[in-house]
Amino acid sequence: MTGAHSYGEYTTHLRELTADVTSGRPDLHHRLLASVDGEASEQLRRLVPLDYRRQVGAFFTPAPLKQRVSDLLKSRATSERYLDPTCGSGDLLLAASHALPIRESLKATLEEWTYRLHGWDINSEFVEAARHRLFIAALLRHGYQRLNKFPVADTSTYFTNVVVRDGLEALKEREAFTGHIVLNPPFNVVSSPLSRPWTARPTSAAALFTYQAANHLADGSYLTAILPDVLRSGSRYSSWRTQVDSILRRSSLDTYGQFDEHADVDVFLLDAKIARQKPLEISSEWWETTGHAEISSQSVNDFFSVRVGTVVDNRDPLDGPEYPFARARDLPASGEISTPARRRRFSRRVFEPPFVLVRRTSRPSTSQHQSRLSGVLVTGERAVAVDNHLIVASPRDGSLKSCQTLLEVLSSRSTSDWLDNRIRCRHLTVGAVREIPWLV
Ligand SMILES: C[S@@+](CC[C@H](N)C(=O)[O-])C[C@H]1O[C@@H](n2cnc3c(N)ncnc32)[C@H](O)[C@@H]1O
């Protein structure tokens, strides 16, 4: 029994629904439609405790994202086979089924889809739900009301490649699958020897699954993945990006935004073709800078030294000289201060004004009128200890004028637009601030 055993209630509902429809019960259309749409996620939230959902990263793909994946798959030649290594209750396999044809009879379609759709998940309740939902999707595609003969509604006969299996284990086999992997993996942080190529530290399960999925695919196959934005934009995943780029050729990166109203994490869509033998080339960045780069070849880094504040307040001992101490929660939203009023003893690096402080948490902009970033200029005479939730930008020419220009650059619309594209996760990186185009 797994932590998802209570999802069995919904699986039973799906089983009864397929049995009802194949026995000819009328008026089931809206219930069938709901079952291949958002209902599986609603029931997941209702039946499975949040702790367990977090533990295994069970957040099923919402309808708009599913549509994006489905459009992507339909825009190119259909693959012989599709695999979702963490299939949950089958939303991405349903998206893949939209790209598949139907045959002259429901039975023939079910047989073909059974051969072409593959899915794994560690939770048997999700796997069973996925099989029922694929069966229902085939019924709906055939206009089941017009059918007078149904195949047996026993999902043990169909979708036999959608099975309970540990995806990470199964993906270990190299270049074993020819076709198209669709992936919306767990996003939690895990420790695994499989992450060695880019880190020995705990890492995102999404990074692991993507790397393993790319390795599992034969050359010429495709990978489409829904991934947390930190993999695209975070400096700690730059080595992961290099590893992944050595296996595949990216065709598009779609910065989608927040996963859904229940999961406040920004995601992007990676779409790529496996190409191990590609000629040596410098891969493009994982973010688009074209347009901005044409307008300005200079960036903040040309004029400022940018670092993270050095004080970890609850960990660093209160020793050394006493300094004014800048903390994010004491600062105004923007503007200028002289010397922070708070004091703290500190024995490591402090910063000489003038400099500009930028909060490290910053949400992608939600309106055209709101700028994503703002800085606070510190002008006083005394060196300041700075909390590590703040980024410190010190002007290379030491001038107040440069700091004032930086405030304008940070709060401009073009910087917000650039930044929303460059980094959508909530924690700004020093790298991203250094790269902000210097548009004055
Ligand atoms: C983010 S959900 C995505 C489900 C589905 N792909 C979708 O898009 O709706 C991740 C799924 O991964 C499953 N999972 C977690 N660890 C796994 C593993 N090691 N192998 C296979 N599935 C796993 C969870 O049970 C959950 O259903």
Side-chain angles (χ1 to χ4, degrees):
M1 197 154 67
T2 71
H5 62 93
S6 42
Y7 201 68
E9 181 186 320
Y10 184 57
T11 315
T12 303
H13 160 82
L14 290 174
R15 192 182 312 123
E16 288 167 0
L17 188 59
T18 45
D20 279 353
V21 76
T22 50
S23 67
R25 216 188 111 180
D27 303 331
L28 294 170
H29 195 64
H30 70 282
R31 288 176 58 196
L32 291 172
L33 282 179
S35 72
V36 291
D37 199 2
E39 185 182 82
S41 300
E42 275 165 37
Q43 295 302 322
L44 176 75
R45 287 191 294 277
R46 184 175 76 83
L47 296 168
V48 181
L50 182 59
D51 278 357
Y52 184 72
R53 280 186 269 143
R54 286 208 175 117
Q55 187 192 321
V56 296
F59 295 91
F60 298 160
T61 304
L65 251 175
K66 197 159 96 183
Q67 189 59 46
R68 286 267 184 123
V69 174
S70 159
D71 291 346
L72 255 174
L73 301 185
K74 281 197 276 188
S75 69
R76 68 160 70 96
T78 315
S79 283
E80 169 105 354
R81 298 186 303 162
Y82 293 86
L83 163 65
D84 181 345
T86 62
C87 70
S89 65
D91 281 290
L92 289 183
L93 291 175
L94 286 167
S97 79
H98 298 163
L100 295 181
I102 56 166
R103 296 299 170 200
E104 60 293 349
S105 70
L106 175 59
K107 185 164 180 292
T109 298
L110 286 167
E111 281 166 3
E112 180 167 338
W113 287 16
T114 294
Y115 163 70
R116 296 178 75 170
L117 296 174
H118 298 239
W120 305 325
D121 201 286
I122 47 172
N123 283 298
S124 57
E125 296 79 4
F126 299 163
V127 166
E128 199 187 336
R131 288 169 145 209
H132 284 295
R133 293 175 83 212
L134 289 168
F135 186 94
I136 292 169
L139 279 175
L140 286 166
R141 282 276 293 280
H142 270 272
Y144 71 98
Q145 293 108 324
R146 293 191 302 275
L147 299 172
N148 46 26
K149 196 161 150 266
F150 288 100
V152 197
D154 178 1
T155 53
S156 61
T157 321
Y158 298 110
F159 303 109
T160 43
N161 292 314
V162 180
V163 291
V164 178
R165 207 167 169 194
D166 181 325
L168 272 183
E169 271 307 306
L171 289 172
K172 277 183 182 162
E173 208 184 329
R174 301 268 140 152
E175 300 180 44
F177 189 82
T178 302
H180 197 139
I181 288 187
V182 285
L183 181 65
N184 169 16
F187 289 2
N188 48 337
V189 171
V190 291
S191 292
S192 164
L194 296 172
S195 73
R196 281 287 144 70
W198 68 96
T199 184
R201 301 184 15 210
T203 193
S204 164
L208 267 183
F209 270 102
T210 309
Y211 180 72
Q212 292 297 97
N215 278 305
H216 187 68
L217 284 166
D219 263 18
S221 296
Y222 292 94
L223 172 66
T224 302
I226 299 168
L227 300 173
D229 198 70
V230 67
L231 302 193
R232 184 184 70 90
S233 54
S235 38
R236 85 191 117 110
Y237 287 100
S238 81
S239 166
W240 173 83
R241 292 192 286 271
T242 308
Q243 293 293 333
V244 168
D245 275 340
S246 69
I247 308 172
L248 48 76
R249 193 191 296 277
R250 283 178 271 122
S251 35
S252 71
L253 281 179
D254 177 1
T255 49
Y256 177 79
Q258 188 171 328
F259 181 77
D260 70 8
E261 68 201 84
H262 308 281
D264 187 10
V265 52
D266 274 44
V267 295
F268 70 102
L269 261 170
L270 166 68
D271 188 45
K273 185 171 183 177
I274 304 303
R276 294 179 179 84
Q277 308 303 329
K278 61 181 180 260
L280 270 182
E281 60 184 38
I282 299 178
S283 298
S284 58
E285 295 288 12
W286 284 59
W287 47 88
E288 281 169 34
T289 49
T290 44
H292 302 278
E294 280 158 23
I295 310 166
S296 172
S297 56
Q298 292 181 307
S299 69
V300 166
N301 191 46
D302 292 312
F303 303 93
F304 283 80
S305 151
V306 182
R307 295 189 189 80
V308 176
T310 39
V311 180
V312 183
D313 200 17
N314 57 5
R315 195 194 67 193
D316 287 335
L318 293 165
D319 57 16
E322 188 177 83
Y323 293 103
F325 177 36
R327 297 191 315 176
R329 74 186 89 146
D330 299 333
L331 290 181
S334 59
E336 187 175 319
I337 61 169
S338 167
T339 302
R342 185 176 294 276
R343 297 282 184 272
R344 190 195 200 282
R345 292 191 176 280
F346 190 53
S347 55
R348 288 184 294 117
R349 185 190 180 109
V350 290
F351 298 87
E352 296 287 342
F355 54 76
V356 172
L357 295 174
V358 182
R359 287 181 168 81
R360 281 182 76 188
T361 36
S362 117
R363 299 181 73 86
S365 338
T366 48
S367 106
Q368 278 295 312
H369 307 291
Q370 191 192 17
S371 69
R372 179 167 168 188
L373 273 190
S374 60
V376 174
L377 168 57
V378 180
T379 59
E381 301 280 299
R382 297 185 52 194
V384 178
V386 179
D387 186 75
N388 74 334
H389 294 99
L390 291 166
I391 289 173
V392 190
S394 303
R396 296 197 188 279
D397 65 2
S399 84
L400 209 57
K401 178 89 186 67
S402 297
C403 291
Q404 283 155 345
T405 310
L406 179 60
L407 293 185
E408 280 167 33
V409 168
L410 293 178
S411 62
S412 73
R413 185 69 246 154
S414 63
T415 294
S416 294
D417 290 345
W418 182 89
L419 210 56
D420 283 351
N421 187 36
R422 169 65 178 82
I423 184 165
R424 293 199 66 89
C425 48
R426 312 290 190 258
H427 276 278
L428 267 192
T429 61
V430 162
V433 175
R434 286 184 181 141
E435 288 167 31
I436 291 173
W438 191 254
L439 291 169
V440 288

